[in-house]
Amino acid sequence: MSVTIDITGLPLERVHVMPSPLAELGMALHALSEPGHHPELRGWATAVSSRLDPCLADRLCEADFLWRTTFSDVFAPFAGLSGGRALPGATLAEELDQLDKLTDEQFVNAALEFTCQLRYDVREPGPLDDPELRRRSLELAAARGAVQERFTRRLLTEPPAVRAWFRQLLLDCDDAFFADTWARVQPQLAADARHKTELLRRKGLGEALASLSGAVSLDEESALITIDKLLVGRAVTGDGGLVLVPTSLGWPHLMVLHRYGWQPSITYPASGSRPQAPSVEQLTRRMEALAHPVRMRLCRHLARAPHTTSELADAHGMTAPEISRHLTVLKKAGLITGCRRGRYVQHQLDLAAVARLGSDFIEGVLR
C-alpha cells in the first residue's frame, strides 16, 4: 500500500519547499486534541490547553474533526487554487485569504472528506449538489455525535457563514497561542526549507525527497514518487507543481495531499524531528514473524543468551532444518542477529528492535 504522485514532465523549477503557517496551525490543533500522538509535545500542549479561554476551547470542539482524526485539506488552500501552481502564503493572513478564494464546493468537500467518507482522488459530485450524498453525509455525521451533525448541517446549509466562523476561529487561535508558537518554530522551518531547496538544486529531486523521510522515494525512470503509507492513493502534477511543506509539530505524521484536481503536496517532519520508522512492509514482516508460537518460544531463548541452531533444536525437540527455517524468518524481519564463533553461528534476539515495535507500529499507522 502506498500513495503515488505522477510527476511526468515536471521541471525542477516547479518543485518548491516552503513552510506554511496555516498548515502548522492545523498541526498545532491536532497535537492539542490528540496529545497521545505527540508525546514529545505533551508539555507544550498542556501549557497551551491550561491557558485557553473556555469559550475558545468550546468552539474548537465544534470543528475538531478537521484536525483530530486527520489533517483536512482546508489547511492547504493554496493547493486548491486554479492553475495548480500557487504556493503557501508567508503569513497566516495571506493563507486565510487563499482559503477565502476556494469555492464553497471545494471548502465543503475538503471539510467533510474524512467525516463523511467522501471519495477523495476521483471526480465526483459533492454533497452540495447531490441530494443522496447530502443525506448520507448527514447520516454519517450523526454517527459521530450531535456536535458533528450540527456542524455538518450548518456547513451544508450555510457554507459562507460557516467559512466566516472558521476563519475567525483560526484568527482567535493565532491571538491565543499560535503567534508565539509560530515565532518559535518558523526559523527552524525556514532553515529546513533552505536546506532542502539547496539539496534539490545540487543533487536533484531524488535526493531531496529521500531527505524528507525514509518513506518517500522516487523512481526516475517512471517519473513516480511513492510514499509508503497504509492507504492507496494517486495524484498527478500535470501542468502544475509539487509543494513540500516542513512541519516541526507534525511528527510522526507524513501527510500527502492527493485530492483530485488539487496540486499535490507533501507535509513532512522537519529535519531532526525524529529517527525514521521502518517501512510498512518491514513492520508487517516483523509482526507476522512474531505471530508464530514456535518463533515466540525461540525469542524467549534468544533474548536470554546467544544460541546455535543445534542448541535450539535440542531445547525445542525439533530438527535443525525446522529451527533454521524459523530463524530465517526472524532474521529477514530484522529481529535477530548472528555472530560466528569458529564453525558455529550463534543467534541472539535484537532487543532494541523488539523494544521499538510498539512505537514503530504507532508511527506506521499514524504516518
Side-chain angles (χ1 to χ4, degrees):
M1 290 183 285
S2 61
V3 178
T4 59
I5 302 174
D6 185 338
I7 59 168
T8 301
L10 177 69
L12 284 183
E13 56 266 26
R14 294 212 305 264
V15 180
H16 298 274
V17 190
M18 298 186 66
S20 162
L22 182 55
E24 198 71 349
L25 174 53
M27 288 296 185
L29 291 172
H30 171 73
L32 288 174
S33 61
E34 288 288 355
H37 291 190
H38 307 272
E40 76 285 356
L41 297 176
R42 192 163 292 154
W44 170 84
T46 300
V48 170
S49 297
S50 65
R51 297 196 308 267
L52 273 187
D53 178 80
C55 180
L56 177 57
D58 288 342
R59 290 160 62 205
L60 287 174
C61 290
E62 291 187 54
D64 72 347
F65 60 87
L66 295 175
W67 54 78
R68 176 183 288 274
T69 56
T70 187
F71 188 66
S72 172
D73 292 341
V74 299
F75 291 101
F78 69 90
L81 300 181
S82 61
R85 298 190 188 182
L87 300 175
T91 66
L92 181 62
E94 289 180 20
E95 293 200 285
L96 291 177
D97 289 343
Q98 290 179 330
L99 187 62
D100 288 342
K101 293 178 182 178
L102 297 182
T103 66
D104 285 346
E105 181 183 22
Q106 285 179 303
F107 184 87
V108 169
N109 289 354
L112 297 184
E113 169 205 338
F114 298 100
T115 304
C116 300
Q117 301 176 6
L118 303 180
R119 295 294 301 275
Y120 187 75
D121 52 5
V122 297
R123 181 192 291 274
E124 280 194 341
L128 289 180
D129 302 318
D130 187 325
E132 176 57 27
L133 190 54
R134 184 188 187 93
R135 182 198 65 78
R136 180 61 175 160
S137 297
L138 288 169
E139 180 182 288
L140 290 170
R144 298 288 185 93
V147 172
Q148 180 102 28
E149 182 184 16
R150 283 196 301 271
F151 185 91
T152 302
R153 193 174 296 278
R154 285 174 54 212
L155 183 59
L156 291 171
T157 305
E158 302 177 286
V162 174
R163 295 178 65 170
W165 176 89
F166 182 65
R167 179 185 176 115
Q168 188 58 53
L169 176 67
L170 297 183
L171 289 173
D172 291 344
C173 288
D174 191 46
D175 290 338
F177 67 89
F178 183 68
D180 292 337
T181 300
W182 180 248
R184 176 174 57 83
V185 304
Q186 191 274 337
Q188 174 200 358
L189 298 180
D192 186 86
R194 287 193 299 271
H195 171 71
K196 297 294 193 299
T197 301
E198 185 67 11
L199 195 61
L200 178 69
R201 185 177 70 85
R202 290 182 176 275
K203 297 191 175 181
L205 182 58
E207 290 284 344
L209 291 172
S211 71
L212 305 185
S213 166
V216 184
S217 61
L218 170 66
D219 184 335
E220 295 188 13
E221 184 175 346
S222 60
L224 203 65
I225 299 172
T226 299
I227 302 94
D228 185 46
K229 289 175 69 72
L230 279 169
L231 58 91
V232 177
R234 181 176 175 83
V236 179
T237 54
D239 294 330
L242 172 68
V243 181
L244 311 176
V245 181
T247 171
S248 65
L249 303 176
W251 183 90
H253 306 299
L254 180 66
M255 314 303 299
V256 186
L257 195 163
H258 57 286
R259 175 180 293 280
Y260 181 88
W262 288 42
Q263 180 180 193
S265 72
I266 302 174
T267 301
Y268 66 93
S271 297
S273 296
R274 270 294 189 265
Q276 302 297 340
S279 67
V280 171
E281 180 182 359
Q282 186 179 17
L283 178 61
T284 302
R285 190 182 299 123
R286 288 180 176 180
M287 298 184 73
E288 289 176 346
L290 292 175
H292 197 287
V294 171
R295 291 194 284 272
M296 285 285 287
R297 291 197 296 272
L298 289 174
C299 286
R300 182 174 183 272
H301 272 83
L302 298 175
R304 296 181 175 187
H307 288 81
T308 66
T309 301
S310 297
E311 290 173 329
L312 293 170
D314 290 340
H316 291 269
M318 300 172 66
T319 66
E322 288 175 318
I323 293 294
S324 182
R325 283 194 292 270
H326 286 297
L327 292 177
T328 297
V329 173
L330 291 169
K331 187 173 183 179
K332 286 183 177 179
L335 295 174
I336 64 172
T337 59
C339 180
R340 180 168 291 280
R341 307 282 185 182
R343 60 192 183 93
Y344 297 101
V345 176
Q346 293 184 321
H347 308 281
Q348 189 165 22
L349 190 68
D350 187 338
L351 294 177
V354 177
R356 288 194 305 267
L357 269 177
S359 59
D360 286 347
F361 175 76
I362 292 173
E363 291 174 40
V365 298
L366 291 180
R367 185 188 302 156

